[in-house]
Amino acid sequence: MRLFQKHFCAIAISLWAASPSNAQLLVEPTLHIKAEAGSGRVALTLDACGGRTDTRILSALVENKIPATIFVTGIWLKHNAAAVEIMRAHPELFELENHGGRHVPAVDTPQKIYGIRSAGSPEAVLAEVESGAAALAVTGEPAPKWFRGATAEYSPSAIAMIRKLGFKIAGFSINGDGGSLLGAKETARRIAAAKDGDVIIAHINQPTHAAGEGVVQGLLALKAKGLTFVRLDDADGIGDEGTTD
């Protein structure tokens, strides 16, 4: 009987920890870069979560000399060697940063975010961050300084852990493509509305989605307005929720 009670209690505790009522409140940090006199600066950040490479976006960045910070997962790196070589051939344009090893949300309690199961424990959060950095090291890239977790939502305790590892956490101020699910017109409108100091998030791993076309249109509209593009390492990023301080 005692063994049964002990086993029952263990199950109950496990269910309590995983229940929605016990799930931590998550935060989606914002990030801006310091404003500059003149026509203004914006930072373009592109997530490469998995899948393949949207060559419409990559080609437009190279042809128009638009710098970008690319957040890559270990999964994406395994299947996109050609795109990585193009990026490495243009170090003046691209910096590759850490998007995690397996594209797992950096949340240390069990729950789902946008249908994606979270890391679920402090140990799993650390494994996601460290495996992402290790995957980048294999490519010969410089050690990453920035981290962005899958879904860009975090538990506050996970933010503290990631910061202790030495990474700044990349939020954003403009969601350009709605997770690559928006149409080309809306994506272009959102990105073209960026102003001095904004940090744009979009995706470079969905070559069949209409959003990719809108990313290109929006970026070219910003360039036509005279805005300057910078990578995160080339600007002072100011994030909330303790993500950069």
Side-chain angles (χ1 to χ4, degrees), residues 20-49:
S21 62
N22 189 53
Q24 287 195 58
L25 291 177
L26 305 184
V27 295
E28 185 180 87
T30 61
L31 179 68
H32 290 83
I33 57 173
K34 282 190 176 180
E36 190 176 73
S39 56
R41 304 186 304 167
V42 295
L44 171 64
T45 68
L46 295 169
D47 288 0
C49 311

Short mmCIF file of all heavy atoms in Angstrom, two decimals, residues 20-49:
data_model
loop_
_atom_site.label_atom_id
_atom_site.label_comp_id
_atom_site.label_asym_id
_atom_site.label_seq_id
_atom_site.Cartn_x
_atom_site.Cartn_y
_atom_site.Cartn_z
N PRO A 20 -1.36 23.29 -17.03
CA PRO A 20 -1.36 24.68 -17.50
C PRO A 20 -1.36 25.68 -16.36
O PRO A 20 -0.76 26.75 -16.45
CB PRO A 20 -2.64 24.76 -18.34
CG PRO A 20 -2.92 23.34 -18.76
CD PRO A 20 -2.44 22.50 -17.62
N SER A 21 -2.05 25.36 -15.26
CA SER A 21 -2.13 26.31 -14.15
C SER A 21 -0.78 26.53 -13.49
O SER A 21 -0.55 27.55 -12.85
CB SER A 21 -3.15 25.82 -13.12
OG SER A 21 -2.73 24.57 -12.58
N ASN A 22 0.12 25.53 -13.62
CA ASN A 22 1.44 25.67 -13.01
C ASN A 22 2.49 26.15 -14.00
O ASN A 22 3.63 26.39 -13.63
CB ASN A 22 1.90 24.31 -12.43
CG ASN A 22 3.15 24.45 -11.58
OD1 ASN A 22 3.18 25.26 -10.68
ND2 ASN A 22 4.18 23.67 -11.89
N ALA A 23 2.11 26.27 -15.27
CA ALA A 23 3.05 26.72 -16.29
C ALA A 23 3.47 28.16 -16.00
O ALA A 23 2.66 29.00 -15.61
CB ALA A 23 2.40 26.64 -17.67
N GLN A 24 4.75 28.43 -16.18
CA GLN A 24 5.24 29.78 -15.95
C GLN A 24 4.63 30.74 -16.97
O GLN A 24 4.37 30.37 -18.11
CB GLN A 24 6.77 29.80 -16.11
CG GLN A 24 7.55 29.17 -14.99
CD GLN A 24 9.00 29.56 -15.05
OE1 GLN A 24 9.33 30.73 -15.00
NE2 GLN A 24 9.86 28.57 -15.16
N LEU A 25 4.43 31.97 -16.54
CA LEU A 25 4.06 33.00 -17.49
C LEU A 25 5.28 33.28 -18.37
O LEU A 25 6.39 33.48 -17.87
CB LEU A 25 3.63 34.27 -16.75
CG LEU A 25 2.32 34.18 -15.97
CD1 LEU A 25 2.07 35.48 -15.23
CD2 LEU A 25 1.16 33.85 -16.90
N LEU A 26 5.08 33.28 -19.65
CA LEU A 26 6.19 33.45 -20.58
C LEU A 26 6.30 34.90 -21.02
O LEU A 26 5.34 35.67 -20.96
CB LEU A 26 5.99 32.56 -21.81
CG LEU A 26 5.79 31.07 -21.52
CD1 LEU A 26 5.71 30.29 -22.82
CD2 LEU A 26 6.91 30.52 -20.64
N VAL A 27 7.48 35.28 -21.46
CA VAL A 27 7.72 36.63 -21.96
C VAL A 27 8.26 36.54 -23.38
O VAL A 27 8.95 35.58 -23.74
CB VAL A 27 8.70 37.41 -21.07
CG1 VAL A 27 8.11 37.64 -19.70
CG2 VAL A 27 10.04 36.70 -20.95
N GLU A 28 7.91 37.53 -24.17
CA GLU A 28 8.44 37.67 -25.53
C GLU A 28 9.20 38.99 -25.57
O GLU A 28 8.63 40.05 -25.77
CB GLU A 28 7.29 37.68 -26.54
CG GLU A 28 7.75 37.69 -27.99
CD GLU A 28 6.59 37.70 -28.96
OE1 GLU A 28 6.10 38.81 -29.28
OE2 GLU A 28 6.15 36.61 -29.36
N PRO A 29 10.51 38.94 -25.34
CA PRO A 29 11.27 40.18 -25.17
C PRO A 29 11.33 41.02 -26.44
O PRO A 29 11.31 40.50 -27.56
CB PRO A 29 12.68 39.68 -24.82
CG PRO A 29 12.50 38.26 -24.40
CD PRO A 29 11.34 37.74 -25.18
N THR A 30 11.39 42.31 -26.23
CA THR A 30 11.62 43.23 -27.34
C THR A 30 13.10 43.59 -27.39
O THR A 30 13.83 43.44 -26.40
CB THR A 30 10.79 44.52 -27.19
OG1 THR A 30 11.18 45.18 -25.97
CG2 THR A 30 9.30 44.21 -27.14
N LEU A 31 13.52 44.06 -28.54
CA LEU A 31 14.90 44.51 -28.73
C LEU A 31 14.90 45.67 -29.70
O LEU A 31 14.24 45.62 -30.75
CB LEU A 31 15.77 43.37 -29.27
CG LEU A 31 17.25 43.70 -29.54
CD1 LEU A 31 17.99 43.97 -28.23
CD2 LEU A 31 17.94 42.57 -30.30
N HIS A 32 15.61 46.72 -29.35
CA HIS A 32 15.85 47.84 -30.25
C HIS A 32 17.36 48.09 -30.32
O HIS A 32 18.10 47.68 -29.42
CB HIS A 32 15.16 49.12 -29.75
CG HIS A 32 13.67 49.09 -29.85
ND1 HIS A 32 12.87 48.50 -28.89
CD2 HIS A 32 12.82 49.58 -30.80
CE1 HIS A 32 11.60 48.63 -29.23
NE2 HIS A 32 11.54 49.27 -30.39
N ILE A 33 17.79 48.75 -31.36
CA ILE A 33 19.17 49.23 -31.40
C ILE A 33 19.14 50.73 -31.19
O ILE A 33 18.12 51.38 -31.43
CB ILE A 33 19.87 48.88 -32.74
CG1 ILE A 33 19.08 49.44 -33.93
CG2 ILE A 33 20.03 47.38 -32.87
CD1 ILE A 33 19.80 49.27 -35.26
N LYS A 34 20.25 51.25 -30.70
CA LYS A 34 20.31 52.69 -30.41
C LYS A 34 20.08 53.50 -31.67
O LYS A 34 20.63 53.20 -32.73
CB LYS A 34 21.66 53.05 -29.78
CG LYS A 34 21.75 52.67 -28.31
CD LYS A 34 22.99 53.25 -27.68
CE LYS A 34 23.03 52.94 -26.17
NZ LYS A 34 24.24 53.49 -25.53
N ALA A 35 19.25 54.50 -31.54
CA ALA A 35 18.96 55.38 -32.67
C ALA A 35 20.20 56.15 -33.08
O ALA A 35 21.12 56.36 -32.28
CB ALA A 35 17.82 56.33 -32.30
N GLU A 36 20.23 56.57 -34.32
CA GLU A 36 21.37 57.31 -34.84
C GLU A 36 20.87 58.47 -35.69
O GLU A 36 19.86 58.35 -36.38
CB GLU A 36 22.25 56.39 -35.70
CG GLU A 36 23.58 56.98 -36.09
CD GLU A 36 24.43 55.98 -36.86
OE1 GLU A 36 24.10 55.71 -38.03
OE2 GLU A 36 25.41 55.46 -36.29
N ALA A 37 21.60 59.57 -35.64
CA ALA A 37 21.21 60.74 -36.43
C ALA A 37 21.28 60.40 -37.92
O ALA A 37 22.08 59.59 -38.36
CB ALA A 37 22.12 61.91 -36.12
N GLY A 38 20.40 61.02 -38.68
CA GLY A 38 20.39 60.76 -40.11
C GLY A 38 19.13 60.02 -40.52
O GLY A 38 18.08 60.13 -39.87
N SER A 39 19.23 59.25 -41.57
CA SER A 39 18.04 58.57 -42.10
C SER A 39 17.63 57.38 -41.26
O SER A 39 16.51 56.89 -41.37
CB SER A 39 18.30 58.11 -43.54
OG SER A 39 19.45 57.29 -43.59
N GLY A 40 18.54 56.88 -40.39
CA GLY A 40 18.16 55.83 -39.47
C GLY A 40 18.77 54.48 -39.79
O GLY A 40 19.22 54.21 -40.90
N ARG A 41 18.75 53.61 -38.77
CA ARG A 41 19.31 52.26 -38.91
C ARG A 41 18.28 51.24 -38.43
O ARG A 41 17.54 51.49 -37.49
CB ARG A 41 20.58 52.10 -38.06
CG ARG A 41 21.67 53.11 -38.33
CD ARG A 41 22.92 52.77 -37.54
NE ARG A 41 22.65 52.68 -36.10
CZ ARG A 41 23.49 52.16 -35.21
NH1 ARG A 41 24.65 51.69 -35.61
NH2 ARG A 41 23.18 52.12 -33.93
N VAL A 42 18.28 50.10 -39.07
CA VAL A 42 17.46 48.98 -38.62
C VAL A 42 18.33 47.73 -38.64
O VAL A 42 19.31 47.64 -39.38
CB VAL A 42 16.21 48.77 -39.51
CG1 VAL A 42 15.27 49.95 -39.42
CG2 VAL A 42 16.61 48.50 -40.96
N ALA A 43 17.98 46.77 -37.80
CA ALA A 43 18.69 45.50 -37.76
C ALA A 43 17.75 44.41 -38.28
O ALA A 43 16.65 44.25 -37.78
CB ALA A 43 19.15 45.17 -36.34
N LEU A 44 18.23 43.70 -39.30
CA LEU A 44 17.46 42.59 -39.85
C LEU A 44 17.96 41.29 -39.23
O LEU A 44 19.15 40.98 -39.30
CB LEU A 44 17.63 42.53 -41.37
CG LEU A 44 17.06 41.29 -42.06
CD1 LEU A 44 15.55 41.24 -41.90
CD2 LEU A 44 17.46 41.27 -43.53
N THR A 45 17.05 40.54 -38.62
CA THR A 45 17.39 39.22 -38.08
C THR A 45 16.50 38.19 -38.75
O THR A 45 15.29 38.38 -38.87
CB THR A 45 17.22 39.16 -36.55
OG1 THR A 45 15.84 39.24 -36.20
CG2 THR A 45 17.99 40.28 -35.87
N LEU A 46 17.12 37.10 -39.20
CA LEU A 46 16.39 36.05 -39.91
C LEU A 46 16.61 34.72 -39.23
O LEU A 46 17.76 34.34 -38.97
CB LEU A 46 16.87 35.97 -41.37
CG LEU A 46 16.59 37.21 -42.23
CD1 LEU A 46 17.35 37.12 -43.54
CD2 LEU A 46 15.09 37.36 -42.49
N ASP A 47 15.54 34.01 -38.94
CA ASP A 47 15.65 32.71 -38.30
C ASP A 47 15.71 31.61 -39.35
O ASP A 47 14.93 31.61 -40.32
CB ASP A 47 14.45 32.46 -37.39
CG ASP A 47 14.49 33.30 -36.13
OD1 ASP A 47 15.45 34.08 -35.96
OD2 ASP A 47 13.56 33.18 -35.31
N ALA A 48 16.64 30.68 -39.14
CA ALA A 48 16.75 29.47 -39.96
C ALA A 48 16.48 28.30 -39.03
O ALA A 48 17.39 27.75 -38.42
CB ALA A 48 18.13 29.39 -40.60
N CYS A 49 15.21 27.95 -38.89
CA CYS A 49 14.78 27.00 -37.87
C CYS A 49 15.08 25.57 -38.27
O CYS A 49 15.62 24.78 -37.49
CB CYS A 49 13.28 27.16 -37.62
SG CYS A 49 12.75 28.86 -37.35
#
